[in-house]
Amino acid sequence: MVDLKQNVQYVKSVGPTKAALLNTLNIYTLNDLLTYFPREYEDRSKTKNIADVIDGEEVTIQARVVSEVNITRIRKNMVIIKTVIEDDTGRCTVTWFNQTYIKQRIKRGEMYRFFGKITREVNHLEMRNPVFDEAGKEKNTGKIMPIYPSTYKLSQTAIRQAVENALLMLKGEEIETLPEYILKSYNLEDLQKSLQEIHFPSNTENRLSARKRLVFEELLVMQLALLELKGKNEDYEGIKFSKDVKMSDVINSLPFKLTKAQLKVLEEIDNDMESNKPMNRLLQGDVGSGKTVVSIISAYKAVKSGFQVAIMAPTAILATQHFEEFKKILEPFNIRCELILGATKPKQKLEITEKLANGEIDVLIGTHALLTENVVFKNLGLVVTDEQHRFGVRQRETITSKGNHPDVLVMTATPIPRTLALILYGDLDISIIDELPPNRKKIETYAVTKRMEERVNNFIRKNIEEGRQVYVVCPLVEDKEDDDESLKDIEEKENTERKNQLEIEEMKIEAFKQKADLKAVKEWTEIYQKQIFPDLRVACVYGKMKPKEKEEVMEKFKNGEIDILISTTVIEVGVNVPNASVMVVENADRFGLAQLHQLRGRVGRGEYQSYCILKYDSRCSQVGKERMKTMQETNDGFVIAEKDLELRGTGEFFGTKQHGLPEFKIANLFVDMPMLKSVQSVALKLEADDRGLKQEKNQKLRKLVDEKLKQSISL
Ligand code: ADP
Ligand code: MG
């Protein structure tokens, strides 16, 4: 039997020198090498005719060499090796730099396969630095090639060769790590084939099934190990909401039909609510996927079962908007909704808190104001936090502690590592809305520089003339002045009211933001109203505005009485004005990806084709440019969250402790979230059927989990 733990140096073609280099990549054993998975692949399998290749494409060409190989010295350290190849459809020049040995390896008149990048100009076609094989003896072309994370001293070829030899050592060996019945029931490829196909895929489909199996195993073992570490789930007695309250009653009253995905997540929520385990569920759905209505329906269930509901939103505007939507749908069912904001008048606050304590309010919607001590519920049964990435774990704890193990629903479009960690550790169950309501058009995104300014302004005008409305978002302006009134206020409060430290910090940050906010918005409003669109209706909102005024402006915008609304990110999350079809972001390179995605989500909410215009500084950082590129390329919140982390982080975003996420060899929590979801249920089922994995049929799993536990998983 092959010993997977044997030192990697004994793999053919490795030896002590290469082994030392492999060690620097954390590859010590045969098994380490086999599970050193490619970072990406290069598809050299598609061959094309010379006539069909396009500029910039990486492609394989099978062709005959029709000229002598020509070497020209162009500078002291630079020679060019050049030849011409031909197939039935055309000719192409091939060049290499400094690789003089090529002259010995290529013969005029022979057929080869070349793989490389094409440059196509009007009268000239060229492939630079291609790899090549004699036709019929393909080694480097004609297949899908793995690309490994590498060090500069160790070539791709060396790693490939080592892996290839390692795979040969497995031939005929019994290496399967998962029980037969698991492979069968979840339709998974066996390990032999999976390893072969993940390293050297015969085609993309096989590579994907190999990946699926390997990810499944990695996540399953992690989940089982975590379950054992946590021991028995702390079994709090939660609330059992009434089975007699039917969500369908409120669903049938809606002006639109719910999507399949919304119905599915509601079913999951309904089951949780009716069980006696406290619900802890993350509702992930891209911007505009309709999360709010899901929370409204859940609130209905809670209230009609005799409980109160708290809805926490990160901004006053969003809380206000939720309040309106909740009222619209729930008031016909005699459900009493109320709104509480930081800026709510003390007298009114007092009234609200009294009613709340008496049970005369059913649903309380608010911002951080919900967290304050004097907000006391009579009977809190359900807590919803919207755009959860804005809230800290402690804030969520504060709000849930206002009830007796209430059910919790957190909603987000772009999960952050902390959220992913909670999911991974089984502290949050997942519901995914993976479809948008029908008839949504894809938002077209353009990143533009100053040169395009005039065209952008014309474009804005054109849309407004067609009856649409426009958002302009500008970033905060840093302001170093110290004599800030509101800061002083806060410090005074700090002394007199002994508020908790967290709250004080929050308030300070908020005060700073509001000030910076005001300055930015004023400057931009000036520019837009006075200089560019004197004839249009331009208005602004900013953090420091009185809530009443804010509400008025938002109301006017909703009613179409304002053409262009200028703001900072106060509108970032959640605002819903279907007639707005253009989102312009000033200095877009200063915003994070998640934020840009949220902002873009403000348009494309109605029937109109919508646009997002990201104005950026052509001199901005590389990361800024990457962000612009990502925004233009994708609309997918998960992809964006992943990219965001990659750009912000060190590149190896799962390894780092600070995210609280364990290192995976192949799984990627963003991409593999649906897989994690199903694996979690597999793990729970296994635990229910065979706690401790003692049965004969689960011995292979037992072994995997023991190994994992030995590697110490930090919780
Ligand atoms: P998000 O998930 O970003 O919070 P919202 O809940 O704000 O999205 O929903 C966006 C818009 O889509 C709202 O106007 C909402 O009323 C509408 N909406 C939600 N579900 C549906 C549906 N099934 N069909 C049509 N419109 C819907
Ligand atoms: Mg929302």
Short mmCIF file of all heavy atoms in Angstrom, two decimals, residues 295-342:
data_model
loop_
_atom_site.label_atom_id
_atom_site.label_comp_id
_atom_site.label_asym_id
_atom_site.label_seq_id
_atom_site.Cartn_x
_atom_site.Cartn_y
_atom_site.Cartn_z
N SER A 295 -38.77 39.70 5.42
CA SER A 295 -38.76 40.04 6.84
C SER A 295 -40.14 40.51 7.30
O SER A 295 -40.55 40.27 8.43
CB SER A 295 -37.69 41.08 7.15
OG SER A 295 -38.04 42.33 6.59
N ILE A 296 -40.87 41.14 6.40
CA ILE A 296 -42.22 41.60 6.76
C ILE A 296 -43.13 40.41 7.03
O ILE A 296 -43.88 40.36 8.00
CB ILE A 296 -42.81 42.49 5.63
CG1 ILE A 296 -41.97 43.77 5.49
CG2 ILE A 296 -44.27 42.83 5.92
CD1 ILE A 296 -42.41 44.70 4.36
N ILE A 297 -43.01 39.41 6.16
CA ILE A 297 -43.85 38.23 6.32
C ILE A 297 -43.48 37.47 7.60
O ILE A 297 -44.35 36.97 8.33
CB ILE A 297 -43.73 37.33 5.06
CG1 ILE A 297 -44.27 38.09 3.84
CG2 ILE A 297 -44.50 36.03 5.26
CD1 ILE A 297 -43.82 37.53 2.50
N SER A 298 -42.19 37.42 7.89
CA SER A 298 -41.75 36.77 9.12
C SER A 298 -42.28 37.51 10.34
O SER A 298 -42.68 36.90 11.34
CB SER A 298 -40.22 36.70 9.19
OG SER A 298 -39.70 36.24 7.98
N ALA A 299 -42.25 38.84 10.24
CA ALA A 299 -42.76 39.66 11.35
C ALA A 299 -44.25 39.37 11.58
O ALA A 299 -44.71 39.28 12.72
CB ALA A 299 -42.54 41.14 11.05
N TYR A 300 -44.98 39.22 10.50
CA TYR A 300 -46.41 38.90 10.60
C TYR A 300 -46.60 37.64 11.43
O TYR A 300 -47.40 37.58 12.37
CB TYR A 300 -46.98 38.72 9.19
CG TYR A 300 -48.36 38.13 9.15
CD1 TYR A 300 -49.49 38.95 9.29
CD2 TYR A 300 -48.56 36.75 9.01
CE1 TYR A 300 -50.76 38.41 9.26
CE2 TYR A 300 -49.83 36.21 8.98
CZ TYR A 300 -50.93 37.03 9.11
OH TYR A 300 -52.19 36.50 9.10
N LYS A 301 -45.82 36.62 11.09
CA LYS A 301 -45.92 35.34 11.80
C LYS A 301 -45.67 35.52 13.30
O LYS A 301 -46.40 34.99 14.14
CB LYS A 301 -44.91 34.36 11.21
CG LYS A 301 -44.78 33.06 11.96
CD LYS A 301 -45.33 31.92 11.18
CE LYS A 301 -45.28 30.63 11.97
NZ LYS A 301 -46.05 29.58 11.32
N ALA A 302 -44.63 36.30 13.62
CA ALA A 302 -44.27 36.49 15.03
C ALA A 302 -45.38 37.24 15.77
O ALA A 302 -45.80 36.83 16.85
CB ALA A 302 -42.95 37.25 15.12
N VAL A 303 -45.85 38.33 15.17
CA VAL A 303 -46.86 39.15 15.84
C VAL A 303 -48.15 38.37 16.05
O VAL A 303 -48.73 38.36 17.14
CB VAL A 303 -47.13 40.45 15.05
CG1 VAL A 303 -48.31 41.21 15.65
CG2 VAL A 303 -45.88 41.32 15.02
N LYS A 304 -48.59 37.68 15.02
CA LYS A 304 -49.85 36.95 15.13
C LYS A 304 -49.72 35.74 16.06
O LYS A 304 -50.71 35.14 16.46
CB LYS A 304 -50.35 36.51 13.75
CG LYS A 304 -50.84 37.67 12.88
CD LYS A 304 -52.01 38.40 13.55
CE LYS A 304 -52.45 39.62 12.74
NZ LYS A 304 -53.46 40.44 13.43
N SER A 305 -48.48 35.39 16.41
CA SER A 305 -48.28 34.34 17.41
C SER A 305 -48.18 34.94 18.81
O SER A 305 -47.92 34.23 19.78
CB SER A 305 -47.00 33.54 17.12
OG SER A 305 -47.01 33.01 15.83
N GLY A 306 -48.31 36.25 18.88
CA GLY A 306 -48.34 36.89 20.20
C GLY A 306 -47.04 37.53 20.65
O GLY A 306 -46.85 37.79 21.83
N PHE A 307 -46.13 37.79 19.71
CA PHE A 307 -44.84 38.36 20.10
C PHE A 307 -44.57 39.70 19.42
O PHE A 307 -45.22 40.04 18.42
CB PHE A 307 -43.71 37.39 19.76
CG PHE A 307 -43.75 36.15 20.60
CD1 PHE A 307 -44.49 35.04 20.19
CD2 PHE A 307 -43.06 36.08 21.80
CE1 PHE A 307 -44.55 33.90 20.96
CE2 PHE A 307 -43.11 34.94 22.58
CZ PHE A 307 -43.85 33.84 22.16
N GLN A 308 -43.57 40.42 19.97
CA GLN A 308 -43.14 41.67 19.35
C GLN A 308 -41.93 41.42 18.45
O GLN A 308 -41.23 40.42 18.59
CB GLN A 308 -42.77 42.68 20.43
CG GLN A 308 -43.98 43.23 21.18
CD GLN A 308 -43.53 44.04 22.38
OE1 GLN A 308 -42.78 43.56 23.23
NE2 GLN A 308 -43.99 45.29 22.44
N VAL A 309 -41.70 42.38 17.57
CA VAL A 309 -40.62 42.24 16.59
C VAL A 309 -39.77 43.51 16.59
O VAL A 309 -40.30 44.62 16.68
CB VAL A 309 -41.20 42.03 15.17
CG1 VAL A 309 -40.08 41.93 14.13
CG2 VAL A 309 -42.08 40.79 15.12
N ALA A 310 -38.44 43.32 16.52
CA ALA A 310 -37.55 44.47 16.37
C ALA A 310 -36.86 44.39 15.02
O ALA A 310 -36.36 43.33 14.63
CB ALA A 310 -36.49 44.46 17.48
N ILE A 311 -36.86 45.51 14.29
CA ILE A 311 -36.19 45.56 12.99
C ILE A 311 -35.11 46.62 13.08
O ILE A 311 -35.41 47.79 13.32
CB ILE A 311 -37.15 45.99 11.85
CG1 ILE A 311 -38.46 45.21 11.90
CG2 ILE A 311 -36.47 45.91 10.49
CD1 ILE A 311 -38.40 43.81 11.38
N MET A 312 -33.85 46.22 12.91
CA MET A 312 -32.77 47.19 13.06
C MET A 312 -32.12 47.45 11.70
O MET A 312 -31.68 46.52 11.02
CB MET A 312 -31.74 46.68 14.06
CG MET A 312 -30.71 47.71 14.40
SD MET A 312 -29.93 47.43 16.00
CE MET A 312 -28.85 46.08 15.62
N ALA A 313 -32.07 48.72 11.33
CA ALA A 313 -31.47 49.11 10.05
C ALA A 313 -30.32 50.09 10.31
O ALA A 313 -30.34 50.80 11.31
CB ALA A 313 -32.53 49.77 9.16
N PRO A 314 -29.34 50.13 9.43
CA PRO A 314 -28.15 50.93 9.73
C PRO A 314 -28.29 52.43 9.53
O PRO A 314 -27.49 53.18 10.08
CB PRO A 314 -27.10 50.37 8.77
CG PRO A 314 -27.87 49.75 7.67
CD PRO A 314 -29.17 49.31 8.24
N THR A 315 -29.25 52.89 8.77
CA THR A 315 -29.38 54.34 8.60
C THR A 315 -30.82 54.78 8.84
O THR A 315 -31.76 53.99 8.69
CB THR A 315 -29.01 54.80 7.17
OG1 THR A 315 -29.96 54.23 6.26
CG2 THR A 315 -27.62 54.37 6.77
N ALA A 316 -30.96 56.06 9.19
CA ALA A 316 -32.29 56.59 9.46
C ALA A 316 -33.18 56.53 8.22
O ALA A 316 -34.36 56.20 8.31
CB ALA A 316 -32.17 58.03 9.95
N ILE A 317 -32.60 56.81 7.08
CA ILE A 317 -33.39 56.79 5.85
C ILE A 317 -33.94 55.40 5.59
O ILE A 317 -35.10 55.20 5.27
CB ILE A 317 -32.54 57.27 4.66
CG1 ILE A 317 -32.34 58.79 4.79
CG2 ILE A 317 -33.21 56.94 3.33
CD1 ILE A 317 -31.65 59.41 3.61
N LEU A 318 -33.08 54.43 5.77
CA LEU A 318 -33.50 53.06 5.51
C LEU A 318 -34.54 52.62 6.53
O LEU A 318 -35.55 52.00 6.16
CB LEU A 318 -32.27 52.14 5.55
CG LEU A 318 -32.55 50.69 5.20
CD1 LEU A 318 -33.26 50.58 3.86
CD2 LEU A 318 -31.25 49.91 5.17
N ALA A 319 -34.33 52.97 7.79
CA ALA A 319 -35.30 52.60 8.82
C ALA A 319 -36.65 53.22 8.50
O ALA A 319 -37.69 52.57 8.60
CB ALA A 319 -34.80 53.04 10.19
N THR A 320 -36.62 54.48 8.08
CA THR A 320 -37.86 55.17 7.75
C THR A 320 -38.58 54.48 6.58
O THR A 320 -39.79 54.27 6.60
CB THR A 320 -37.56 56.63 7.36
OG1 THR A 320 -36.72 57.19 8.36
CG2 THR A 320 -38.84 57.43 7.24
N GLN A 321 -37.79 54.12 5.60
CA GLN A 321 -38.38 53.46 4.44
C GLN A 321 -38.98 52.10 4.82
O GLN A 321 -40.07 51.75 4.39
CB GLN A 321 -37.30 53.30 3.39
CG GLN A 321 -37.83 52.66 2.13
CD GLN A 321 -36.70 52.46 1.16
OE1 GLN A 321 -36.21 53.41 0.58
NE2 GLN A 321 -36.27 51.23 1.00
N HIS A 322 -38.26 51.36 5.62
CA HIS A 322 -38.79 50.08 6.10
C HIS A 322 -40.10 50.30 6.84
O HIS A 322 -41.07 49.57 6.65
CB HIS A 322 -37.80 49.41 7.06
CG HIS A 322 -36.70 48.67 6.37
ND1 HIS A 322 -36.72 48.38 5.04
CD2 HIS A 322 -35.56 48.12 6.85
CE1 HIS A 322 -35.63 47.72 4.72
NE2 HIS A 322 -34.90 47.54 5.80
N PHE A 323 -40.08 51.30 7.70
CA PHE A 323 -41.26 51.61 8.49
C PHE A 323 -42.47 51.77 7.57
O PHE A 323 -43.54 51.20 7.81
CB PHE A 323 -40.99 52.89 9.29
CG PHE A 323 -42.17 53.42 10.04
CD1 PHE A 323 -42.85 52.62 10.95
CD2 PHE A 323 -42.58 54.73 9.86
CE1 PHE A 323 -43.93 53.12 11.66
CE2 PHE A 323 -43.66 55.24 10.57
CZ PHE A 323 -44.33 54.44 11.47
N GLU A 324 -42.28 52.51 6.49
CA GLU A 324 -43.40 52.71 5.55
C GLU A 324 -43.84 51.41 4.89
O GLU A 324 -45.02 51.13 4.77
CB GLU A 324 -43.00 53.74 4.48
CG GLU A 324 -43.22 55.14 4.99
CD GLU A 324 -42.39 56.15 4.25
OE1 GLU A 324 -41.95 55.86 3.11
OE2 GLU A 324 -42.16 57.24 4.82
N GLU A 325 -42.85 50.62 4.48
CA GLU A 325 -43.22 49.36 3.81
C GLU A 325 -43.90 48.39 4.78
O GLU A 325 -44.87 47.71 4.41
CB GLU A 325 -41.97 48.71 3.20
CG GLU A 325 -41.51 49.44 1.94
CD GLU A 325 -40.23 48.87 1.36
OE1 GLU A 325 -40.07 47.63 1.38
OE2 GLU A 325 -39.39 49.66 0.90
N PHE A 326 -43.41 48.34 6.00
CA PHE A 326 -44.03 47.46 6.99
C PHE A 326 -45.48 47.90 7.24
O PHE A 326 -46.39 47.09 7.27
CB PHE A 326 -43.24 47.48 8.31
CG PHE A 326 -42.15 46.45 8.36
CD1 PHE A 326 -40.99 46.60 7.61
CD2 PHE A 326 -42.28 45.32 9.14
CE1 PHE A 326 -39.99 45.65 7.65
CE2 PHE A 326 -41.28 44.35 9.19
CZ PHE A 326 -40.13 44.52 8.45
N LYS A 327 -45.65 49.20 7.41
CA LYS A 327 -46.99 49.72 7.68
C LYS A 327 -47.94 49.36 6.55
O LYS A 327 -49.04 48.89 6.77
CB LYS A 327 -46.94 51.25 7.82
CG LYS A 327 -46.84 51.71 9.24
CD LYS A 327 -47.29 53.15 9.42
CE LYS A 327 -46.61 54.11 8.48
NZ LYS A 327 -46.68 55.51 8.91
N LYS A 328 -47.45 49.59 5.33
CA LYS A 328 -48.31 49.39 4.17
C LYS A 328 -48.84 47.95 4.14
O LYS A 328 -50.01 47.71 3.89
CB LYS A 328 -47.51 49.69 2.90
CG LYS A 328 -48.38 50.00 1.70
CD LYS A 328 -47.60 50.70 0.59
CE LYS A 328 -46.53 49.79 0.00
NZ LYS A 328 -45.52 50.47 -0.79
N ILE A 329 -47.97 47.02 4.42
CA ILE A 329 -48.37 45.61 4.30
C ILE A 329 -49.02 45.09 5.57
O ILE A 329 -49.97 44.30 5.51
CB ILE A 329 -47.15 44.74 3.91
CG1 ILE A 329 -46.65 45.17 2.53
CG2 ILE A 329 -47.52 43.26 3.91
CD1 ILE A 329 -45.40 44.48 2.06
N LEU A 330 -48.55 45.54 6.73
CA LEU A 330 -49.02 44.92 7.98
C LEU A 330 -50.20 45.63 8.64
O LEU A 330 -50.97 45.00 9.38
CB LEU A 330 -47.86 44.79 8.96
CG LEU A 330 -46.75 43.82 8.52
CD1 LEU A 330 -45.67 43.74 9.58
CD2 LEU A 330 -47.31 42.43 8.22
N GLU A 331 -50.38 46.94 8.39
CA GLU A 331 -51.48 47.63 9.06
C GLU A 331 -52.85 47.05 8.72
O GLU A 331 -53.70 46.93 9.59
CB GLU A 331 -51.42 49.14 8.80
CG GLU A 331 -50.77 49.85 9.98
CD GLU A 331 -50.67 51.36 9.80
OE1 GLU A 331 -51.12 51.88 8.76
OE2 GLU A 331 -50.12 52.01 10.71
N PRO A 332 -53.07 46.64 7.47
CA PRO A 332 -54.36 46.00 7.16
C PRO A 332 -54.64 44.77 8.03
O PRO A 332 -55.78 44.33 8.15
CB PRO A 332 -54.21 45.59 5.69
CG PRO A 332 -53.19 46.51 5.14
CD PRO A 332 -52.25 46.81 6.26
N PHE A 333 -53.61 44.21 8.64
CA PHE A 333 -53.81 43.07 9.54
C PHE A 333 -53.83 43.52 11.01
O PHE A 333 -53.61 42.72 11.91
CB PHE A 333 -52.70 42.03 9.34
CG PHE A 333 -52.72 41.40 7.97
CD1 PHE A 333 -51.93 41.91 6.94
CD2 PHE A 333 -53.54 40.31 7.71
CE1 PHE A 333 -51.95 41.33 5.68
CE2 PHE A 333 -53.57 39.74 6.44
CZ PHE A 333 -52.77 40.25 5.42
N ASN A 334 -54.06 44.80 11.20
CA ASN A 334 -54.10 45.37 12.55
C ASN A 334 -52.81 45.19 13.33
O ASN A 334 -52.82 44.95 14.53
CB ASN A 334 -55.26 44.79 13.35
CG ASN A 334 -56.58 45.20 12.76
OD1 ASN A 334 -56.73 46.35 12.32
ND2 ASN A 334 -57.50 44.26 12.69
N ILE A 335 -51.72 45.25 12.63
CA ILE A 335 -50.42 45.17 13.31
C ILE A 335 -49.88 46.58 13.46
O ILE A 335 -49.87 47.36 12.49
CB ILE A 335 -49.46 44.27 12.52
CG1 ILE A 335 -49.97 42.82 12.61
CG2 ILE A 335 -48.04 44.38 13.07
CD1 ILE A 335 -49.18 41.83 11.78
N ARG A 336 -49.47 46.92 14.68
CA ARG A 336 -49.05 48.29 14.97
C ARG A 336 -47.53 48.44 14.83
O ARG A 336 -46.77 47.80 15.57
CB ARG A 336 -49.50 48.69 16.37
CG ARG A 336 -51.03 48.68 16.50
CD ARG A 336 -51.46 48.51 17.93
NE ARG A 336 -51.03 47.21 18.47
CZ ARG A 336 -51.35 46.79 19.68
NH1 ARG A 336 -52.06 47.54 20.49
NH2 ARG A 336 -50.94 45.61 20.11
N CYS A 337 -47.10 49.26 13.88
CA CYS A 337 -45.68 49.47 13.65
C CYS A 337 -45.28 50.84 14.18
O CYS A 337 -46.06 51.78 14.15
CB CYS A 337 -45.36 49.40 12.16
SG CYS A 337 -45.87 47.85 11.41
N GLU A 338 -44.06 50.97 14.66
CA GLU A 338 -43.57 52.25 15.14
C GLU A 338 -42.10 52.41 14.75
O GLU A 338 -41.43 51.41 14.44
CB GLU A 338 -43.77 52.33 16.65
CG GLU A 338 -43.68 53.71 17.26
CD GLU A 338 -44.41 54.80 16.47
OE1 GLU A 338 -45.64 54.97 16.64
OE2 GLU A 338 -43.73 55.48 15.67
N LEU A 339 -41.68 53.67 14.70
CA LEU A 339 -40.32 53.98 14.26
C LEU A 339 -39.56 54.71 15.35
O LEU A 339 -40.08 55.65 15.95
CB LEU A 339 -40.39 54.86 13.00
CG LEU A 339 -39.08 55.39 12.42
CD1 LEU A 339 -38.28 54.26 11.78
CD2 LEU A 339 -39.36 56.49 11.40
N ILE A 340 -38.32 54.31 15.61
CA ILE A 340 -37.51 55.06 16.58
C ILE A 340 -36.12 55.32 16.00
O ILE A 340 -35.47 54.41 15.49
CB ILE A 340 -37.44 54.32 17.94
CG1 ILE A 340 -36.81 55.23 19.00
CG2 ILE A 340 -36.68 53.01 17.84
CD1 ILE A 340 -37.07 54.75 20.41
N LEU A 341 -35.73 56.61 16.05
CA LEU A 341 -34.42 57.00 15.50
C LEU A 341 -33.63 57.73 16.58
O LEU A 341 -34.20 58.18 17.57
CB LEU A 341 -34.62 57.93 14.30
CG LEU A 341 -35.48 57.40 13.16
CD1 LEU A 341 -35.75 58.50 12.14
CD2 LEU A 341 -34.82 56.21 12.50
N GLY A 342 -32.35 57.89 16.35
CA GLY A 342 -31.54 58.65 17.29
C GLY A 342 -32.11 60.04 17.48
O GLY A 342 -32.09 60.60 18.57
#
